[in-house]
Amino acid sequence: MVGIVSYGSYIPRWRIKVEEIARVWGEDAEDIKSGLFIYSKSVPGPDEDTATISVEALRNAMNRKSVKDVGAVYVGSESHPYAVKPTSTIVAEAMGFTPEITAADYEFACKAGTAAMQSVMGMVESGMIKNGIAIGADTSQGAPGDALEYSAAAGGTAFIIGNDNTIADIKRTYSVTTDTPDFWRREGQDYPRHGGRFTGEPAYFRHVTSVAKKIMELMGTKPEDYTYAVFHQPNGKFPTRAARMLGFKESQIKQGLIVPYIGNTYSGSMITGLSAILDIAKPEDRILAVSFGSGAGSDGFHIEITKNMEDYRRENAKAVWKQIESGKYIDYAIYTKFKKKIKMGD
Amino acid sequence: MTIPRYWREFQHRYRLIGTKCPKCGRIYFPPREVCPYCHRESIGKMQKVEIKNTGKVYSYTVIHQDVPDFKFLKPYLFIIAEMDSGVKVSGQLVDVSPEDVRIGMPVRISFRRIREEDRAGIIEYGYKFIPDE
């Protein structure tokens, strides 16, 4: 059965606290923290981007299990380093997969990584390739002073997907897609815009909950049948509320809810939460995982951990929560330098 | 650096591919076409070898000079690392403050942006060191 053969995540080391951003913009940090359920976010170093994060995440996956026969590399992101020139070619070259491989970049706001997963699943199931790689990674942008600046973060996760020796079988995937203008960035613009409260009910909640409900209907399962659930995490409030609406308990979502400490890693968001769950999951555990990408759509996955997890070398790469804990805080001035928000002279 | 040169050096810049002399077993990084000990006996016989990505700080220096390509990283650390395979590799050490580095500190290779031609030019990637603790 098609599933995850190996996985790895990478979160940049730098962090900025909500208090520090609020101090600069004259806002009430306590209000923001309770409103968004975010305390800090990850910040990429000045020498990091989606390509470097993707390679580091994939190297972590390969350190856990070295997979030889790789036929595809797809990288999902909304912050590819080049407008024209694929990130996936850089990743494939850095991993030594070139030249006999197919590669492409995906873009679908925060769900480009799960779109890549579904493509690789299809290729594996059809027999076109033996194993393929799906990555979701971002160094997301929030306009200075905008609410997004508190959440737009950096990180990514890579999955090696195949039919043999899977540690987690993907028993079902299901998607919902509509044309919903909740969040966008026009060509040539530095920062995205969003529809404020419109990003909630008609966008995030409608797509996430309908996919979760349909997956449970297709699988004949109920919330209590899952050990863990993980939903896209634009902030801490949305996935917590979606879980409650669907009937999941806090104990089921706690392990995968990483956004309060590292912010929204966009294409890396839900899948890095899933990676945190895989860090501790045991054989026969069931996971419901639902992404969301503005624009808008959701991809859902019913995942079951296999016996192969017992011999899998998780310890060969740093666990997600360990990476979260090893962050180093910077102030807003260093943050603006790292994010290259300062206008430089020629 | 010209685009063709950058492209030619992908293997060692991206994946730490060095060369090994089949006669004496010495490993070289950056890769050498000829072993300086075995000379012509090694010509055309040098083998590609991927250097294991972990090691420790052998020596370091802190650079305060205003190098345009590394302005955003200043002051930055430049180290010689003794890799687990024995070969010494030089490069930047990032994600750590100069006051926290020490000789013998475990490090590993990380894939990073090295420089960009200019705002419209190509982005050059390669290896840097990060703490492995």
Side-chain angles (χ1 to χ4, degrees):
Chain A
M1 158 141 279
V2 69
I4 297 164
V5 177
S6 190
Y7 72 98
S9 296
Y10 177 79
I11 301 161
R13 174 160 286 201
W14 309 106
R15 308 274 184 277
I16 186 164
K17 286 181 178 167
V18 160
E19 284 86 346
E20 181 61 9
I21 301 172
R23 181 182 68 82
V24 171
W25 296 108
E27 289 179 321
D28 185 339
E30 293 309 314
D31 258 14
I32 309 262
K33 285 197 280 187
S34 63
L36 294 175
F37 187 18
I38 287 179
Y39 308 121
S40 60
K41 69 167 187 172
S42 63
V43 180
D47 55 358
E48 294 186 290
D49 62 21
T50 292
T52 66
I53 289 169
S54 299
V55 170
E56 288 299 296
L58 185 50
R59 280 181 178 166
N60 281 337
M62 282 289 190
N63 286 342
R64 286 174 168 146
K65 191 179 179 72
S66 178
V67 178
K68 295 270 179 267
D69 203 346
V70 175
V73 176
Y74 294 137
V75 181
S77 181
E78 62 162 54
S79 52
H80 291 290
Y82 288 93
V84 179
K85 195 203 173 302
T87 308
S88 51
T89 58
I90 300 165
V91 175
E93 191 71 53
M95 299 304 294
F97 296 148
T98 56
E100 291 184 58
I101 191 159
T102 183
D105 289 359
Y106 277 49
E107 194 277 320
F108 194 142
C110 297
K111 82 159 191 85
T114 54
M117 282 173 76
Q118 289 179 326
S119 299
V120 174
M121 283 172 65
M123 293 169 84
V124 167
E125 282 192 298
S126 71
M128 189 176 163
I129 58 171
K130 196 162 171 19
N131 298 290
I133 286 164
I135 301 173
D138 259 305
T139 53
S140 54
Q141 302 291 331
D146 186 79
L148 270 183
E149 197 177 23
Y150 293 99
S151 62
T157 290
F159 292 111
I160 303 171
I161 291 171
N163 259 331
D164 302 326
N165 304 314
T166 55
I167 53 163
D169 286 340
I170 304 173
K171 300 244 164 162
R172 186 91 206 195
T173 182
Y174 173 80
S175 297
V176 161
T177 306
T178 67
D179 183 359
T180 308
D182 58 323
F183 172 99
W184 62 92
R185 180 168 65 81
R186 296 279 300 274
E187 186 69 48
Q189 294 295 308
D190 289 332
Y191 301 110
R193 277 206 211 165
H194 53 87
R197 291 174 66 86
F198 186 69
T199 58
E201 287 303 334
Y204 180 89
F205 293 105
R206 177 177 161 216
H207 292 81
V208 168
T209 57
S210 52
V211 163
K213 280 178 193 160
K214 187 71 180 181
I215 290 247
M216 287 191 275
E217 184 193 316
L218 291 166
M219 294 303 296
T221 50
K222 296 188 185 73
E224 54 267 33
D225 297 325
Y226 293 91
T227 324
Y228 303 101
V230 58
F231 306 102
H232 173 53
Q233 306 171 21
N235 52 55
K237 270 249 157 105
F238 277 24
T240 310
R241 198 173 136 208
R244 214 170 29 234
M245 286 161 73
L246 290 160
F248 287 92
K249 293 187 182 123
E250 199 200 327
S251 58
Q252 290 167 291
I253 62 162
K254 201 177 169 203
Q255 176 65 17
L257 193 64
I258 54 176
V259 64
Y261 310 99
I262 60 160
N264 178 9
T265 57
Y266 283 51
S267 301
S269 175
M270 183 284 276
I271 54 177
T272 305
L274 174 58
S275 177
I277 291 169
L278 294 173
D279 283 340
I280 61 159
K282 297 183 184 70
E284 294 182 22
D285 280 350
R286 283 177 173 172
I287 305 164
L288 179 69
V290 184
S291 67
F292 171 74
S294 290
S298 272
D299 302 324
F301 303 86
H302 173 109
I303 297 167
E304 293 186 15
I305 306 297
T306 72
K307 280 213 158 72
N308 293 327
M309 189 60 110
E310 285 169 358
D311 304 319
Y312 178 70
R313 309 296 298 267
R314 282 189 278 214
E315 68 278 11
N316 283 6
K318 230 181 199 180
V320 168
W321 279 101
K322 198 117 193 172
Q323 292 189 50
I324 291 171
E325 287 159 12
S326 61
K328 284 188 168 183
Y329 293 101
I330 53 175
D331 62 20
Y332 196 86
I334 297 293
Y335 161 76
T336 55
K337 185 174 85 164
F338 279 11
K339 290 287 287 173
K340 304 199 175 91
K341 288 172 188 272
I342 299 169
K343 193 167 183 181
M344 305 292 286
D346 289 328
Chain B
M1 195 189 314
T2 62
I3 292 174
R5 183 181 160 197
Y6 169 62
W7 175 76
R8 270 199 305 274
E9 294 179 354
F10 272 171
Q11 285 204 336
H12 87 254
R13 288 179 183 277
Y14 281 16
R15 289 195 287 134
L16 233 61
I17 303 285
T19 48
K20 184 179 178 179
C21 172
K23 187 157 189 297
C24 68
R26 286 187 175 89
I27 296 171
Y28 297 101
F29 186 88
R32 299 185 79 136
E33 298 286 322
V34 180
C35 172
Y37 293 90
C38 304
H39 307 289
R40 65 180 179 176
E41 289 177 81
S42 67
I43 295 175
K45 294 176 192 155
M46 296 294 279
Q47 297 160 349
K48 279 184 185 173
V49 56
E50 190 163 345
I51 291 160
K52 195 173 180 300
N53 68 352
T54 49
K56 55 185 190 237
V57 175
Y58 178 79
S59 188
Y60 69 91
T61 186
V62 184
I63 298 179
H64 295 270
Q65 200 93 19
D66 205 1
V67 180
D69 284 335
F70 307 125
K71 197 177 178 69
F72 284 79
L73 294 163
K74 201 180 79 172
Y76 63 90
L77 286 154
F78 197 84
I79 68 163
I80 297 171
E82 185 168 21
M83 305 308 283
D84 292 344
S85 54
V87 66
K88 291 189 181 73
V89 176
S90 58
Q92 279 184 33
L93 172 63
V94 293
D95 285 6
V96 62
S97 307
E99 55 268 26
D100 293 331
V101 68
R102 62 178 200 283
I103 288 174
M105 181 182 192
V107 291
R108 69 175 178 85
I109 291 297
S110 178
F111 189 71
R112 297 292 172 117
R113 286 166 89 115
I114 305 296
R115 61 182 290 274
E116 52 188 54
E117 259 186 318
D118 53 49
R119 276 181 63 80
I122 65 156
I123 303 162
E124 294 172 6
Y125 294 90
Y127 70 86
K128 289 187 183 179
F129 293 97
I130 57 169
D132 190 25
E133 294 180 302

